Amino acid sequence: MQIKDAVVFITGANRGLGLEFAKQALARGAKKVYAAARDVSTITLPGVVPVQLDVTKPEQAAAAARACGDVTLLINNAGIGRVGGIASDNAETVLREQLETNLYGIFHVARAFAPVLGRNGGGAILNMLSILSWVNTPMLGAYGVSKAAAWALTNSLRAELAPQGTLVAGFHGGFIDTDMIRDFEVPKARPEDVVRQSLDEIEQGAVEITVDDSTRQVKKALSDGVYLMDPMAAH
């Protein structure tokens, strides 16, 4: 599909990658860009249509789909990241919180908008995943579990929505220079670069988008049957 003249709905569009997706969609000539966030007062980008949406609330996702019935591209960007593994004292709390947004958030919004996309010719869904969908690290263990589950959900959606002509793509990347990881002293990709590549690949019909060398190396290693204990070993 082409971004030009598309109607784009972006969750978590008030900052970080979501904001960058909104900017670039407008720059590419999208007919309309819906920018969704829990607090619409935080959406200040000129040219977008603000939408109040907490992705953990299925009734709000359904209301957004009813109100935005012209959508042709859904970008499930909203997500949270919490430091912590799955063997720590507070692991259950940390894991449940991230599953609610990173897994069930995608589930609620994709489920609500799938019929909309079908009625509008198929369109596309882009789910924001991670290098940690495929490998994990103790520092972000619970986050990795949520992203691995979201990858499995993405694969299921792709198979189920193919008959209606909907492309379902997954974004996989390492550390990106956004507020979520501002305190991490690691090499980071630029948001504008990964968003530009993602939109290019959506237009080309890609189903798995790997936006940096580390992620591509991890994918190749796993395809070759090599298990990586630490994803950063790909650097």
Side-chain angles (χ1 to χ4, degrees):
M1 69 172 298
Q2 295 299 305
I3 306 303
K4 180 176 171 55
D5 295 327
V7 178
V8 186
F9 189 102
I10 306 165
T11 66
N14 56 326
R15 64 191 180 111
L17 286 180
L19 176 59
E20 186 62 30
F21 270 112
K23 290 178 178 178
Q24 292 198 28
L26 289 171
R28 289 178 183 234
K31 182 187 301 182
K32 186 186 297 183
V33 176
Y34 294 106
R38 288 178 177 172
D39 181 358
V40 291
S41 70
T42 62
I43 300 170
T44 58
L45 179 66
V48 301
V49 179
V51 178
Q52 195 281 323
L53 173 61
D54 180 342
V55 299
T56 68
K57 308 294 186 184
E59 67 277 9
Q60 292 189 19
R66 288 193 299 269
C68 307
D70 51 352
V71 170
T72 59
L73 171 59
L74 169 64
I75 299 177
N76 278 313
N77 167 75
I80 60 172
R82 302 286 185 262
V83 174
I86 56 172
S88 59
D89 291 342
N90 66 337
E92 184 172 353
T93 299
V94 173
L95 178 59
R96 284 184 181 276
E97 181 187 16
Q98 292 178 99
L99 285 171
E100 282 297 322
T101 298
N102 299 346
L103 175 64
Y104 283 101
I106 290 177
F107 171 74
H108 297 320
V109 179
R111 187 167 180 264
F113 275 93
V116 173
L117 294 170
R119 289 193 297 269
N120 293 332
I125 298 173
L126 174 61
N127 292 337
M128 302 303 289
L129 306 175
S130 172
I131 191 174
L132 298 180
S133 302
W134 296 329
V135 288
N136 213 335
T137 178
M139 181 175 62
L140 293 167
Y143 175 81
V145 170
S146 74
K147 289 297 186 177
W151 179 47
L153 175 65
T154 299
N155 294 335
S156 293
L157 285 169
R158 183 178 304 123
E160 291 186 37
L161 299 184
Q164 71 174 34
T166 300
L167 171 73
V168 180
F171 168 107
H172 299 270
F175 292 118
I176 302 167
D177 192 10
T178 64
D179 289 346
M180 184 181 291
I181 63 161
R182 65 176 177 268
D183 296 329
F184 286 55
E185 295 297 328
V186 293
K188 303 170 187 177
R190 300 195 317 157
E192 53 266 45
D193 293 337
V194 301
V195 167
R196 184 182 308 111
Q197 181 180 336
S198 297
L199 294 179
D200 285 346
E201 295 204 29
I202 284 291
E203 291 189 328
Q204 295 164 14
V207 296
E208 278 193 341
I209 299 167
T210 53
V211 297
D212 54 46
D213 288 341
S214 294
T215 306
R216 286 187 283 271
Q217 290 168 21
V218 165
K219 182 179 180 181
K220 182 179 185 306
L222 294 174
S223 297
D224 292 343
V226 178
Y227 176 73
L228 297 177
M229 178 69 75
D230 184 350
M232 306 320 295
H235 279 289

